[in-house]
C-alpha cells in the first residue's frame, strides 16, 4: 500500500523516496487530503511517538521533518480546497531570541490535520510581529513556543502587547516548549499549556467548533 511506503520513507528520513511516493500516490488518484493525512502526517506521527519514547534522537527527527516537507511541497498547492473548507485560524511561532523550531513544526503538522488554517511565523518572532499578525489575520488561537529559559519570558511580553492593543480578549493563547509548565502558563496569563504536539492537537480537535461558535475564549 502506497501510504505505508510514504510513512516508511518519512520514518527513515528518506526525502527522495517521500517525494517520489507522494508524486506516485497523487498520480494514482489519491486525494491530496488523504496523502497528507494517511501518508505524510501519519509518518511524522510515527517519528514523533518514537521521539517521545526516546527511540529516536534529534537528527532522525530533523531528517524525518525534511522528508515530510519534501512530500508536502507537492501536496500543499493541491490543498487549496481543503483549506477553504476549513474554519478557524491559528497564528503560531517561536518567540524572539529563540531559534528552536523542531517542536513547533511537529505541533504545526499535527494540528494541521484538524483542518484548521495555520499561519506559522517561524522562529525569532517579536511581540510586535505577533501582535501585528493577530490584528491583521484575526485568528481564534495564538500558539507560542519557547525552548530556552532566557526566552520563555518573551511569552509574557507578547501577552502584554496584545492586551495593551486590545487584541487579547477574544483570543485563546496556548503556550508550550520544554521549559514551560502549567503554573508558568497561568502566571503569565496564557489560557492553556500543552506538554506536546499530541495534547495540542487533541485539544484543538475537540474544541475547534466550540471555539469558532463562541467566537473566542471558552470561559
Ligand atoms: Co538548543 N538548547 N540551543 N539547539 N537544543 C536546548 C533547548 C537545551 C535544553 C540543550 C541543553 O543545554 N541541554 C538548552 C536550553 C537550556 C535552557 O534554556 N534551559 C539549549 C541551548 C542552551 C541552546 C543554545 C543557547 C546553545 C548555544 O548556542 N550555546 C542555542 C540557542 C539558539 C537560540 O535559540 N537563540 C541553541 C541552539 C540549538 C540548535 C540551533 C543547534 C538546535 C535547534 C535546531 C532547530 O530547532 N532548528 C538545538 C537543539 C536541537 C536543541 C535540543 C538538543 C533539542 C530541541 C528539540 O528540537 N527537541 C535541546 C535539548 C533537548 O530538548 N533535549 C536544546 C525535539 C522537539 C520535538 O522537542 O522542541 O521540546 P521540543 O518540542 C516538544 C515539546 O516541548 C512540545 O511539543 C514538542 C513534542 O511534541 N512543544 C509544544 C514545543 N512547542 C510547543 C508549543 C505548544 C505545545 C507544545 O503550543 C503552543
Amino acid at each position: 500500500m502506497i501510504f505505508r511506503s510514504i510513512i516508511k520513507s518519512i520514518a527513515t528520513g528518506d526525502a527522495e523516496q517521500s517525494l517520489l511516493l507522494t508524486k506516485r500516490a497523487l498520480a494514482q488518484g489519491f486525494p491530496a487530503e488523504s496523502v497528507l493525512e494517511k501518508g505524510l502526517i501519519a509518518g511524522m506521527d510515527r517519528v514523533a511517538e518514537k521521539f517521545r519514547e526516546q527511540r529516536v534522537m534529534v537528527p532522525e527527527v530533523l531528517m524525518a521533518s525534511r522528508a515530510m516537507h519534501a512530500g508536502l511541497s507537492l501536496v500543499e498547492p493541491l490543498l487549496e480546497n481543503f483549506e477553504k473548507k476549513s474554519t478557524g485560524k491559528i497564528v503560531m511561532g517561536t518567540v524572539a531570541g529563540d531559534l528552536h523550531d523542531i517542536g513547533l513544526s511537529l505541533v504545526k503538522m499535527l494540528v494541521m490535520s484538524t483542518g484548521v488554517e495555520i499561519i506559522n511565523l517561524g522562529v525569532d518572532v517579536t511581540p510586535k510581529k505577533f501582535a501585528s499578525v493577530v490584528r491583521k489575520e484575526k485568528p481564534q488561537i495564538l500558539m507560542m513556543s519557547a525552548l530556552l529559559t532566557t526566552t520563555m519570558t518573551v511569552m509574557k511580553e507578547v501577552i502584554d502587547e496584545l492586551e495593551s492593543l486590545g487584541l487579547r480578549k477574544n483570543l485563546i493563547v496556548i503556550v508550550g516548549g520544554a521549559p514551560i509548565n502549567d503554573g508558568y502558563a497561568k502566571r503569565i496569563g496564557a489560557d492553556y499549556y500543552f506538554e506536546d504536539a499530541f495534547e495540542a492537537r487533541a485539544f484543538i480537535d475537540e474544541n475547534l467548533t466550540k471555539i469558532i461558535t463562541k467566537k473566542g475564549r471558552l470561559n
Side-chain angles (χ1 to χ4, degrees):
M1 177 67 167
I2 191 106
F3 291 141
R4 213 176 297 152
S5 305
I6 294 176
I7 291 170
K8 191 174 167 210
S9 71
I10 291 169
T12 53
D14 191 337
E16 229 168 87
Q17 273 298 308
S18 165
L19 189 71
L20 193 97
L21 291 163
T22 302
K23 195 185 264 180
R24 196 175 295 161
L26 294 169
Q28 285 176 4
F30 287 105
E33 293 89 331
S34 306
V35 179
L36 174 70
E37 288 179 36
K38 296 183 187 150
L40 301 173
I41 290 176
M44 204 60 214
D45 269 1
R46 182 170 296 179
V47 178
E49 279 288 0
K50 283 188 180 169
F51 186 80
R52 191 155 65 170
E53 293 159 5
Q54 296 181 330
R55 283 163 56 214
V56 296
M57 305 307 284
V58 170
E60 284 100 320
V61 177
L62 280 175
M63 283 176 70
S65 168
R66 210 177 116 251
M68 200 220 56
H69 277 99
L72 200 60
S73 68
L74 297 178
V75 166
E76 222 160 16
L78 305 171
L79 289 175
E80 224 172 89
N81 291 334
F82 181 54
E83 279 170 13
K84 276 195 194 121
K85 264 192 277 156
S86 75
T87 43
K89 202 186 270 188
I90 295 178
V91 167
M92 60 167 64
T94 299
V95 297
D98 201 322
L99 304 176
H100 296 84
D101 68 352
I102 301 171
L104 196 72
S105 294
L106 282 181
V107 172
K108 182 190 165 193
M109 275 181 280
L110 293 199
V111 170
M112 228 166 78
S113 67
T114 65
V116 70
E117 183 185 344
I118 295 179
I119 300 170
N120 185 3
L121 302 179
V123 296
D124 199 16
V125 185
T126 62
K128 285 210 182 316
K129 176 74 180 173
F130 272 122
S132 79
V133 176
V134 165
R135 188 197 288 279
K136 182 164 173 264
E137 298 291 341
K138 301 182 178 48
Q140 288 85 9
I141 303 172
L142 172 68
M143 299 182 88
M144 290 187 277
S145 180
L147 263 284
L148 301 170
T149 44
T150 48
T151 57
M152 60 196 272
T153 50
V154 179
M155 291 174 161
K156 168 88 167 76
E157 291 171 32
V158 176
I159 293 172
D160 288 348
E161 180 79 8
L162 293 168
E163 255 159 18
S164 74
L165 295 170
L167 297 167
R168 172 74 180 96
K169 201 165 158 262
N170 293 318
L171 185 69
I172 292 179
V173 176
I174 300 176
V175 292
I180 314 299
N181 58 36
D182 231 348
Y184 183 72
K186 284 199 180 82
R187 278 202 302 285
I188 63 169
D191 296 302
Y192 299 97
Y193 155 77
F194 296 117
E195 193 179 342
D196 59 31
F198 294 92
E199 276 191 9
R201 176 174 66 179
F203 170 82
I204 287 158
D205 208 18
E206 213 176 298
N207 294 292
L208 189 60
T209 313
K210 232 185 295 169
I211 290 167
I212 294 162
T213 334
K214 289 194 83 175
K215 294 194 169 52
R217 289 153 89 173
L218 294 171
N219 42 44

